[in-house]
Amino acid sequence: MADTLLDDVGDLLREAAGQVVVPLFRKLDDADVSEKAPGEVVTVADRRAEELISAGLRRLRPGSVVVGEEGVADDPGLLRHLRDGGDVWLVDPVDGTANFAAGRRPFALMVALLTDGRPTAGWILDPLAETLAAGWADEGALLNGQPVDAADAVPSLGDLRGVAMTRFLPPEARDRVRDGGRRLGELLPGQHCAGREYLDILTGEQQFALFWRTLPWDHAPGTLLVRAAGGVARRFDGVDYHPADEGRGLLVAVNEQVWTEVHDALLGV
């Protein structure tokens, strides 16, 4: 019998979006939003969606472990499971929470599956755009059910378009990235939603994305999907990204050539 997990998790994310997240968009009261860390907010939608998604994932894979963003906020020790054997889910119930809390789009719901410590599948849903990306690491990525190859037909260096999230970069690196951006076609400031940045790479809206903060639930789904579509996701020093590795700095690109060109333009000494 064919494995229906891609569809099952996609349906679960749509259920969480339809029942919890979207109905609360632009309907939150002050009591529905709180600060979980300085400068970081959480909403009732984040918590309810994580509960619904987590319960559904455990039903799909009995015995699996869920490592959710809000669960880790309460118990950072959950991160130890990212190298465990068996099935481990990473869940970002509302990626782009600051946007969501302010009544802005985009925001997304994201899940990644790690098996024996290896990222094996990923999902990103932008519910307002009705865009779902899903895929297995070794079998390619799908965008609304259609195969996508992000590595094809990319522009020349002077026409490359992508995002650089410079807010948290060290000052010297921030200046270097901004200066190097003049060599590219367009350097965008970012949408404050990592999931949407990854979707825009998969759709061809942009060819790269540079991040400094690399929380696992923000990047495990997207890096898997971009790689499955022929792309590259590496730390600034060229080491392949893995969600369990501590560190900062991540450059994602549609293919090897673009990764190298953008790395040289934005990060080269």
Side-chain angles (χ1 to χ4, degrees):
M1 184 173 65
D3 192 332
T4 63
L5 191 68
L6 283 191
D7 291 336
D8 293 341
V9 176
D11 290 344
L12 179 61
L13 292 183
R14 289 192 180 99
E15 179 186 353
Q19 292 188 9
V20 176
V21 180
V22 174
L24 286 168
F25 184 50
R26 297 177 178 162
K27 302 271 179 58
L28 295 171
D29 297 325
D30 289 344
D32 295 330
V33 183
S34 58
E35 191 175 64
K36 63 180 178 181
E40 291 191 29
V41 297
V42 61
T43 74
V44 64
D46 295 80
R47 298 192 186 281
R48 290 178 183 172
E50 184 162 307
E51 290 173 2
L52 189 157
I53 294 167
S54 298
L57 294 173
R58 293 188 184 103
R59 285 195 300 270
L60 290 172
R61 288 284 175 96
S64 60
V65 174
V66 177
V67 179
E69 178 179 4
E70 307 316 325
V72 171
D74 295 333
D75 179 9
L78 289 172
L79 288 171
R80 71 184 182 278
H81 292 296
L82 297 185
R83 294 285 190 186
D84 280 359
D87 292 327
V88 178
W89 302 97
L90 266 167
V91 177
D92 192 340
V94 181
D95 178 56
T97 296
N99 288 347
F100 182 84
R104 299 189 303 264
R105 55 192 303 177
F107 54 89
L109 292 75
M110 304 198 294
V111 168
L113 173 64
L114 282 66
T115 303
D116 297 332
R118 176 179 175 268
T120 52
W123 297 260
I124 301 175
L125 172 67
D126 180 337
L128 298 186
E130 297 183 346
T131 303
L132 174 67
W136 294 103
D138 299 326
E139 298 180 19
L142 302 173
L143 199 60
N144 289 340
Q146 299 301 311
V148 57
D149 187 345
D152 280 352
V154 298
S156 61
L157 177 65
D159 293 321
L160 290 174
R161 185 175 192 266
V163 61
M165 301 294 290
T166 59
R167 176 184 172 190
F168 297 105
L169 282 170
E172 289 184 6
R174 187 185 308 132
D175 293 342
R176 188 162 63 245
V177 166
R178 287 173 176 167
D179 289 344
R182 299 190 184 101
R183 299 171 57 189
L184 306 175
E186 190 172 6
L187 191 64
L188 305 169
Q191 302 171 80
H192 306 288
C193 174
R196 188 65 244 182
E197 304 298 355
Y198 284 108
L199 288 175
D200 283 354
I201 291 175
L202 294 171
T203 62
E205 290 293 316
Q206 60 191 18
Q207 291 78 47
F208 67 89
L210 181 147
F211 306 94
W212 180 245
R213 296 176 63 184
T214 56
L215 297 169
W217 42 83
D218 286 338
H219 297 285
T223 53
L224 183 144
L225 290 166
V226 168
R227 285 169 171 161
V232 179
R234 296 189 185 122
R235 299 286 187 181
F236 292 173
D237 61 3
V239 174
D240 284 340
Y241 171 81
H242 188 284
D245 293 338
E246 295 184 4
R248 296 182 181 272
L250 172 64
L251 178 60
V252 182
V254 294
N255 63 24
E256 189 78 43
Q257 178 183 341
V258 171
W259 192 92
T260 299
E261 290 177 345
V262 173
H263 183 275
D264 290 348
L266 300 184
L267 301 169
V269 179

